[in-house]
Amino acid sequence: MRRAPKTALVFGIGGQDGAWLAKFLLKRGYVVHGTSRDREASSFANLKRLGLFEQARLHSAVLSDFRSVVQVIGDVRPDEIYNLAGQSSVGLSFEQPVETLNSIILGTVNILEAIRFLGLAARFYNASSSECFGNTGHLPADEGRAFHPRSPYGVGKAAAYWAIANYRESYNLFACSGILFNHESELRPARYVTQKIVRGAADIAEGKTDVLRLGELSISRDWGWAPEYVDAMWRMLNHDTPEDFVIATGQAYPLEAFVHAAFDYFGLNWRQHVESDAALLRPSDIAVSVGDPGKAKRQLNWEAETKMPGVVAKLLDAETRRRRAAQA
Ligand code: NDP
């Protein structure tokens, strides 16, 4: 007898990770449901870009509103729930701290409570972040490293992490936090620094502008490739036991090296085009952020294939294709 396909519910399916995860799950035969705060108003541009818009079943749900969360979970009754929604910009979290904390903390607790309330056996993945650790220094952070968040976003993610751990211990839920380090793709919105660099270098190469203004260039980050990271999320929910995992490449590169690689792609010297702009500096920033993905390798057999130079090349290939298609 054939087994019924599994059903997944992805909160925030219209975001970068939501769209890649939908692609990953559909390929594995899942019935994929997803939410946006307003299904009618959302463009679902990422799903359309990946050619998935017709395949995902879309709902409206606002994470901070318990009624809407319990309604959609009760209607779908999923086997797996992925929470990838919420205010996700560290920079914006300094300007919208209450909205950031509400969407992240309340959103996570509302999903946990809805699972309990409905008595579901659903497995739950929650998007945590390297921002919980704050500055890691050059010793890669593993799951045992103490948290010291440096932004309202990081504070929210740290609180949500502990909510997941508490509900797992108290109520025996299959709930996990993926402590993901930065991961990129062409689906990232333009406000993120990696997209600013990629689009800025391409504009300069096309002669549209001559200068790219950036904030702090000395920071170092651990950059991976988003489609690989959604595979790790799925592995966490299909592991024997609910546990938290650091997902990272294990390698930190200065932002300056990212900029260098992007300009190099077009044969440009970044020093002739990049200016530092004090207005783009954050109230507090993290000097170095690097993760130790050893536990994910040992227990999930997951490893990042694409490291920073590969990430830059893939982003620029995609940007170049997008520009050619727009001109055609
Ligand atoms: P995106 O910003 O691309 O997607 C998040 C989605 O959440 C949006 O598409 C939006 O959907 C919804 N959203 C945005 N603002 C709010 C808000 N104030 N309240 C409720 N919902 C909101 O994020 P990513 O896909 O890049 O990331 C997915 C998750 O992983 C996020 O929780 C992020 O914080 C976390 N994360 C991401 C990392 C990365 O490098 N990408 C690293 C570590 C963690 P809609 O408008 O349709 O409602």
Side-chain angles (χ1 to χ4, degrees):
M1 215 171 69
R2 280 186 64 193
R3 283 171 62 193
K6 277 192 182 177
T7 298
L9 174 60
V10 182
F11 284 92
I13 197 167
Q16 168 186 258
D17 290 5
W20 288 120
L21 180 66
K23 181 173 181 177
F24 180 94
L25 294 171
L26 285 163
K27 213 168 149 194
R28 272 155 192 79
Y30 276 70
V31 175
V32 175
H33 293 254
T35 74
S36 166
R37 282 164 292 178
D38 185 345
R39 185 186 66 169
E40 304 304 325
S42 175
S43 71
F44 294 110
N46 289 336
L47 288 180
K48 287 180 183 157
R49 197 161 169 186
L50 298 184
L52 306 172
F53 181 61
E54 305 295 338
Q55 296 174 56
R57 303 177 191 192
L58 302 168
H59 308 258
S60 295
V62 174
L63 275 183
S64 52
D65 185 327
F66 180 69
R67 191 187 188 286
S68 89
V69 172
V70 80
Q71 176 88 48
V72 70
I73 296 178
D75 286 350
V76 174
R77 302 192 79 81
D79 299 296
E80 295 172 12
I81 298 173
Y82 296 85
N83 177 20
L84 309 179
Q87 201 298 96
S88 69
S89 159
V90 176
L92 189 62
S93 79
F94 287 100
E95 291 160 39
Q96 297 180 0
V98 175
E99 170 64 13
T100 302
L101 294 169
N102 259 343
S103 67
I104 296 175
I105 306 173
L106 214 59
T108 304
V109 174
N110 275 340
I111 296 174
L112 289 163
E113 277 298 326
I115 295 171
R116 285 188 60 215
F117 181 76
L118 294 164
L120 288 184
R123 295 184 168 200
F124 176 31
Y125 170 87
N126 203 49
S128 189
S129 165
S130 54
E131 291 287 327
C132 293
F133 295 124
N135 193 13
T136 62
H138 283 283
L139 183 66
D142 66 12
E143 293 76 5
R145 181 75 65 89
F147 287 170
H148 185 162
R150 303 288 302 267
S151 62
Y153 171 85
V155 170
K157 289 293 187 187
Y161 170 94
W162 286 115
I164 293 283
N166 177 247
Y167 274 65
R168 186 168 61 216
E169 289 165 9
S170 306
Y171 306 113
N172 210 19
L173 299 190
F174 196 112
C176 320
S177 291
I179 310 172
L180 271 56
F181 282 66
N182 292 51
H183 45 282
E184 309 297 319
S185 78
E186 64 270 31
L187 303 186
R188 271 282 216 200
R191 70 161 175 265
Y192 285 87
V193 69
T194 47
Q195 276 301 323
K196 262 175 119 170
I197 294 166
V198 163
R199 293 174 197 213
D203 280 346
I204 291 169
E206 286 181 3
K208 286 184 180 160
T209 177
D210 202 38
V211 177
L212 173 62
R213 289 192 174 79
L214 296 171
E216 187 56 72
L217 280 180
S218 63
I219 57 163
S220 290
R221 292 289 182 272
D222 179 329
W223 283 289
W225 188 238
E228 295 172 14
Y229 283 44
V230 299
D231 176 359
M233 298 174 188
W234 175 78
R235 285 177 196 239
M236 278 181 226
L237 290 199
N238 287 275
H239 188 51
D240 296 341
T241 47
E243 291 182 42
D244 306 320
F245 290 89
V246 163
I247 301 297
T249 69
Q251 297 178 5
Y253 288 89
L255 187 62
E256 202 174 287
F258 193 110
V259 174
H260 180 105
F263 278 74
D264 216 33
Y265 182 92
F266 297 108
L268 295 167
N269 179 353
W270 70 272
R271 289 184 191 279
Q272 291 169 357
H273 300 282
V274 174
E275 287 180 3
S276 182
D277 186 344
L280 297 173
L281 299 178
R282 288 175 182 165
S284 71
D285 211 339
I286 292 170
V288 183
S289 175
V290 57
D292 174 355
K295 181 181 173 190
K297 168 80 177 140
R298 289 189 300 276
Q299 295 197 25
L300 303 176
N301 197 25
W302 179 90
E303 199 170 11
E305 279 176 28
T306 313
K307 310 287 162 59
M308 186 281 273
V311 170
V312 176
K314 285 184 190 212
L315 289 176
L316 281 155
D317 287 348
E319 181 63 13
T320 308
R321 277 198 307 275
R322 186 178 72 84
R323 286 174 187 237
R324 283 204 195 112
Q327 281 161 8

